[in-house]
């Protein structure tokens, strides 16, 4: 029972400061505006709030920003007719784990929401599994779950890129 | 004195939960059974024993599983006429270091055993060198030795793939 | 205001023990000697001094070694007419941070020096951003700065490779 490809879905993976967001933004900004920016970051403190505000100002007009720490499938469904950028799955997964949500169910709901979108959708996520096994059990769980989520999305996506130093390597 | 290529040798590298084992299994299962699964994991505790049993049950009939925490060259030589999957070199190297074996000699013996195999041989290993330098001296030693082993095998292998989100990127 | 490409600039990225230095040396040794090896490692202790001496002896005649922990742009400018290998940017950035230099200004100066070189120039650096977010604030700062430096160089370089198990994957 092989699942079919989602033709408008792109997954942008890469390490810290590898240019994922910038590449994803360029993919969406090549399409006619308005565009939807779904930000999963939660502003826990003043520093984080300042960083988020800075990111938002940096983006050109044409972007509508939606803050969505937890119900990402719902946010995608609510904007299904417009080009959407989700930045990023790593923070979303962290939020789900901290809030003790069912991450497997959330992953399935995310894929269903992606399949239901009717315009290009670009998901950004950090690749975190290429270092030494972490000492910390929560970090090990996180990288296992992130890896599983990336695999589930990559198998359905039409396009997967792995960013190296700001440059996209095409994986699929 | 360049060493020659081993035409039936494939190296599957990738991070945690990047789909290495599944890809390697698919490569071997495309060949006529019976296939040999050399598992290097040692069951240190009940949880590990359960995980190993689960993995074994998941594999289709046609696989013969051989447990081999240390003498991997010997196990390969003993099944040299059949398609072999080794999962994984990372755990094998860990076992060698913990047992205070000579890892350089073991690496050389492994390559000789691979060269002596007469059917396709797929080796799975974790890439662990793409994070921040670990604080822990043993972790630093491990990632140095893993990197050297991967290089020595990749230089001889006919095929090397780097897995990203369940998808193989061809390196060689 | 897009910056132009530096036609003689190559960036060699990769993890620990991925064969970066060896690949970079081979690129330079394919050109007519003499070649310049700019080493950024600082010998903090006896072990480090021994390692550096060993590396130096391993290299064939034809190499002139220049030790340069901090003023890398100056060292490149001083040898601008000859093939240069810089090994590595990771240690250079570490030295800059420990010496409390302005890393952004140093990065800009490095790119200007690269643009001024009149012979092939190969820069080696470690990719460190593909593991779990480090606990340590200095490590987080380091990987952010390394990522930004890599992006700034990659956007100007004519060639960027990502090393996996001693084998180059062409990124650009």
């Amino acid at each position: 029972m092989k699942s079919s490809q989602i033709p408008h879905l792109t997954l942008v993976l890469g390490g810290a400061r590898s240019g994922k967001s910038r590449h994803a933004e360029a993919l969406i900004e090549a399409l006619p505006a308005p565009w939807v920016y779904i930000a999963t970051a939660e502003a826990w403190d003043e520093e984080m709030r300042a960083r988020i505000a800075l990111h938002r100002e940096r983006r050109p007009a044409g972007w509508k920003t939606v803050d969505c720490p937890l119900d990402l499938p719902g946010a995608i469904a609510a904007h299904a007719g417009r080009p959407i950028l989700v930045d990023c799955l790593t923070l979303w997964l962290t939020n789900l784990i901290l809030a003790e949500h069912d991450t497997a169910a959330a992953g399935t709901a995310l894929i269903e929401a992606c399949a239901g979108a009717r315009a290009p959708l670009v998901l950004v996520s950090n690749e975190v599994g290429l270092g030494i096994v972490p000492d910390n059990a929560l970090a090990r769980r996180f990288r296992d779950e992130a890896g599983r989520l990336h695999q589930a999305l990559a198998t359905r996506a039409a396009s997967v890129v792995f960013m190296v130093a700001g440059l996209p390597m095409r994986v699929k």
Side-chain angles (χ1 to χ4, degrees), chain A residues 46-83:
Chain A
E46 207 41 61
E47 188 196 332
M48 194 69 175
R49 244 186 302 276
R51 278 185 69 164
I52 292 173
L54 193 75
H55 270 106
R56 192 180 288 218
E57 281 162 30
R58 208 197 67 205
R59 288 194 289 273
W63 283 103
K64 177 194 176 179
T65 303
V66 177
D67 289 305
C68 179
L70 289 168
D71 184 18
L72 183 53
I76 291 172
H79 300 87
R82 294 194 176 168

Side-chain angles (χ1 to χ4, degrees), chain A residues 96-169:
Chain A
L96 289 175
I97 290 174
L98 294 179
E100 300 185 2
H101 282 223
D102 178 341
T103 54
T108 303
L110 172 62
I111 291 171
E112 280 166 20
C114 293
R118 298 181 310 278
L121 179 59
V122 179
L123 308 180
V124 169
S125 199
N126 280 62
E127 177 55 58
V128 296
L130 287 156
I132 283 287
V133 180
D135 290 330
N136 182 307
L138 186 60
R140 285 199 301 277
R141 179 183 158 200
F142 174 74
R143 68 175 207 158
D144 280 358
E145 297 217 17
R148 275 191 283 259
L149 180 63
H150 295 164
Q151 284 191 51
L153 287 163
T155 211
R156 300 291 302 276
S159 171
V160 179
V161 298
F162 179 66
M163 301 299 298
V164 174
L167 303 169
M169 295 184 84

Side-chain angles (χ1 to χ4, degrees), chain A residues 70-93:
Chain A
L70 289 168
D71 184 18
L72 183 53
I76 291 172
H79 300 87
R82 294 194 176 168
I84 298 175
L85 192 167
V86 176
D87 195 353
C88 65
L89 298 183
T90 325
L91 287 173
W92 177 59
L93 188 57

